[in-house]
């Protein structure tokens, strides 16, 4: 199925990507005002931006300090009218084209993300759950670890 708006492959540090990244909750602000050009972090990476500039997704394969294996969804932000879970599925397909059969994982900070109420309970990272991800644990700092296994 062809998406209405396709993900474009971009470079880490692209100014058009940085503008949407700067609005992501995980954006670290340096006390001395530094604004490094690169924003994804070290490792092998893939930066995706929607053609209209309204969504950003960055995947990163690196050695995780907490022992997570696979490819990390380091940034996902959707400011468009499109359903976030459908766009995330498209971005996941892009990740699996580059890293076939790899587990995908992400961290969600429940203190920084507004929960979605589902069946009377708060859920953080709802679009990930709708895209087929599962909760697998907590980091030492209390971040939610979500994962999605590659299709067989």
């Amino acid at each position: 199925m062809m998406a209405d708006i396709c993900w474009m492959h971009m470079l880490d540090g692209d100014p058009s990507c940085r503008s949407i990244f700067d609005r992501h909750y995980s954006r670290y602000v340096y006390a001395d005002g530094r604004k490094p050009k690169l924003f994804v972090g070290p490792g092998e990476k893939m930066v995706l931006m929607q053609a209209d500039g309204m969504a950003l997704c960055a995947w990163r394969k690196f050695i995780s300090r907490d022992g997570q294996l696979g490819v990390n969804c380091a940034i996902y932000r959707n400011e468009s009218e499109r359903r976030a879970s459908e766009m995330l599925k498209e971005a996941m397909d892009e990740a699996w084209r580059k890293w076939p059969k790899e587990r995908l994982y992400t961290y969600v900070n429940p203190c920084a993300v507004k929960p979605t109420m589902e069946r009377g309970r708060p859920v953080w990272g709802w679009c990930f759950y709708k895209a087929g991800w599962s909760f697998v644990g907590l980091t030492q700092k209390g971040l939610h670890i979500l994962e999605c296994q590659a299709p067989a």
Side-chain angles (χ1 to χ4, degrees), residues 20-73:
I20 192 166
F21 168 70
D22 283 344
R23 294 187 296 277
H24 191 265
Y25 80 88
S26 70
R27 160 79 163 79
Y28 181 79
V29 179
Y30 289 89
D32 63 6
R34 279 182 294 148
K35 207 172 189 181
K37 181 178 178 178
L38 302 181
F39 52 85
V40 177
E44 192 179 350
K45 50 193 145 186
M46 175 191 299
V47 178
L48 304 170
M49 187 175 75
Q50 288 284 296
D52 62 1
M54 299 297 290
L56 179 69
C57 184
W59 300 100
R60 180 175 163 224
K61 186 167 175 62
F62 69 108
I63 299 171
S64 165
R65 283 188 250 165
D66 65 353
Q68 296 299 316
L69 299 175
V71 179
N72 173 247
C73 181

Side-chain angles (χ1 to χ4, degrees), residues 4 14-15 30 34 36 44-45 47 55 59 66 75-77 98 108 121-122 129 135-136 138 143 152:
D4 296 337
D14 184 283
Y30 289 89
R34 279 182 294 148
E44 192 179 350
K45 50 193 145 186
V47 178
W59 300 100
D66 65 353
I75 303 159
Y76 182 65
R77 181 165 179 88
K98 181 171 180 139
V108 177
R121 303 174 93 176
Y129 290 98
F135 175 86
V136 293
L138 296 170
L143 302 179

